[in-house]
Amino acid sequence: MKESFLHQGCIYGSDAEFLAMAVPFVQDGLRRGEPVLVATTRPNLELLHDVIGPDADGVEYTDHDHLGRRPPQRATAIHRYWTSRQPAGTVRVLAEPEWTGRSSREITDWQRMESALNVVLADTRIWMICPYDSRAVRPDIIENARRTHPECVVGHRAEPSSQFVAPEEFARSRVPQAGVAADLFRFEGELAAVRRYVLKKATALLKSDDDAVGMFGIAIGEAVSYLARQGVDRAAVWVRPAAGRVVCTLHSDTPLDHVHPFVGYRPPGFAEQPGDGLWLTNQICEWLDITSDASGCTIELAMPGRQAADDLRRAERSRLSFGR
């Protein structure tokens, strides 16, 4: 039985290499009566099912979206899987990230999540293997897999990764730059007034349904509450449409004593921890970034918007017309 979280990467370049890792991992778990969850590509699921045969019925299969479309949702889904099956002791998870079609920012967020799992799941008894298909995944993503997993698996053999980087160090080296101070919808004041201002400006930019506005209200409310609990009482805010999203940047000249790079990843526990409310913001928003240095602290969050997409279409039509 594993006594703590075990996080391994597996870089494979053929169907045979995938099966050499996956088959013994799954079969050994089934023999021991351990829950086994497999989330990988459909072709890999079919390969595994064909090789394992009747035993495959004891495995829980799922697709990428079921574990969450975004990194914080995926981390939460894996944690919930373990909590729902704790009496079994060790829980095995084979979860292959999806890299195809992702933007540079999305790739950075997923890599930070891979590193974050080493911290936010540290007190679980999950044995997790994350496969990377070198035939389809970019070389730089493969290299970072070696930096975010303490061990790498080849077949049934695991070896420490000499390139592994401490999670906090890795995360801080990949924090996306917060939005620049824009004149569009700029406001500065006490936090309660800032929240009201953000909701007023964002409502016109969000999708035209009450749910989007209500969820955004919850997200920004938790972000403002986090600042208040850290002793911040005033902030400047910029709300703007950007690439089909509503982006809100909060900035205070007051630095925070310590901002954990994975704040907002772990579901709140029975004992409240600083930043617990940001888990909800992280579940709602397309992204949530928090930074702090000598110049102050900044929180940036984004949600899918409506007006921003219209603006981009108009700008594209204008550009095409100008080029005629």
Side-chain angles (χ1 to χ4, degrees):
M1 178 186 293
K2 302 295 179 186
E3 296 301 326
S4 60
F5 180 56
L6 179 58
H7 191 204
Q8 299 173 324
C10 174
I11 298 164
Y12 67 96
S14 67
D15 294 349
E17 288 180 354
F18 172 80
L19 290 172
M21 171 275 299
V23 171
F25 178 72
V26 170
Q27 287 183 331
D28 187 56
L30 294 176
R31 280 195 298 269
R32 295 172 181 270
E34 297 168 352
V36 180
L37 173 67
V38 175
T40 182
T41 65
R42 185 169 297 278
N44 280 348
L45 288 176
E46 293 173 355
L47 281 171
L48 192 57
H49 196 280
D50 289 345
V51 172
I52 294 178
D55 288 343
D57 293 337
V59 180
E60 296 182 65
Y61 298 98
T62 188
D63 56 26
H64 297 294
D65 286 347
H66 183 73
L67 285 182
R69 295 180 298 102
R70 297 179 47 255
Q73 295 168 347
R74 189 179 184 90
T76 296
I78 294 169
H79 186 266
R80 283 178 173 165
Y81 180 75
W82 176 73
T83 56
S84 67
R85 290 157 178 80
Q86 279 191 59
T90 299
V91 169
R92 300 192 184 210
V93 177
L94 192 156
E96 184 160 6
E98 174 60 59
W99 301 101
T100 305
R102 297 200 182 278
S103 67
S104 296
R105 184 194 174 91
E106 288 173 325
I107 288 173
T108 296
D109 286 346
W110 279 85
Q111 290 173 334
R112 291 182 76 238
M113 183 272 294
E114 284 277 55
S115 186
L117 294 178
N118 295 298
V119 175
V120 300
L121 300 180
D123 60 352
T124 70
R125 292 193 300 278
I126 297 173
W127 183 355
M128 183 174 181
I129 299 181
C130 304
Y132 285 70
D133 187 347
S134 62
R135 298 168 296 183
V137 179
R138 288 179 358 204
D140 59 308
I141 296 176
I142 296 290
E143 285 304 301
N144 277 311
R146 296 187 173 96
R147 297 184 177 100
T148 56
H149 296 82
E151 295 182 356
C152 286
V153 179
V154 178
H156 57 80
R157 187 181 74 256
E159 296 180 351
S161 174
S162 61
Q163 296 173 251
F164 179 69
V165 177
E168 290 196 19
E169 180 184 344
F170 182 88
R172 290 195 170 106
S173 70
R174 282 161 176 77
V175 175
Q177 293 297 314
V180 297
D183 290 331
L184 183 62
F185 300 153
R186 178 174 177 173
F187 179 82
E188 183 172 1
E190 295 181 354
L191 292 183
V194 164
R195 182 178 182 277
R196 290 194 297 269
Y197 179 86
V198 171
L199 289 178
K200 177 182 176 182
K201 294 300 182 181
T203 296
L205 301 173
L206 290 167
K207 293 178 179 178
S208 54
D209 60 74
D210 292 338
D211 287 344
V213 175
M215 295 299 280
F216 189 81
I218 293 171
I220 192 65
E222 292 294 346
V224 167
S225 296
Y226 174 75
L227 289 177
R229 287 194 292 270
Q230 303 299 315
V232 175
D233 57 5
R234 292 179 63 83
V237 62
W238 299 271
V239 183
R240 70 269 187 200
R245 303 173 181 88
V246 180
V247 181
C248 173
T249 304
L250 295 160
H251 178 77
S252 169
D253 293 335
T254 304
L256 304 184
D257 290 338
H258 178 69
V259 177
H260 196 284
F262 305 128
V263 64
Y265 267 91
R266 181 69 178 266
F270 293 109
E272 185 176 353
Q273 299 293 321
D276 273 357
L278 290 179
W279 172 82
L280 188 55
T281 299
N282 221 5
Q283 297 295 306
I284 293 171
C285 293
E286 191 165 335
W287 74 68
L288 168 68
D289 297 326
I290 306 173
T291 58
S292 183
D293 55 28
S295 66
C297 61
T298 301
I299 297 180
E300 183 168 285
L301 51 86
M303 284 189 67
R306 175 187 57 181
Q307 184 173 321
D310 294 339
D311 290 345
L312 286 176
R313 284 192 291 269
R314 282 195 292 271
E316 180 63 14
R317 284 197 299 268
S318 230
R319 184 186 67 81
L320 292 174
S321 298
F322 181 80
R324 289 175 183 168

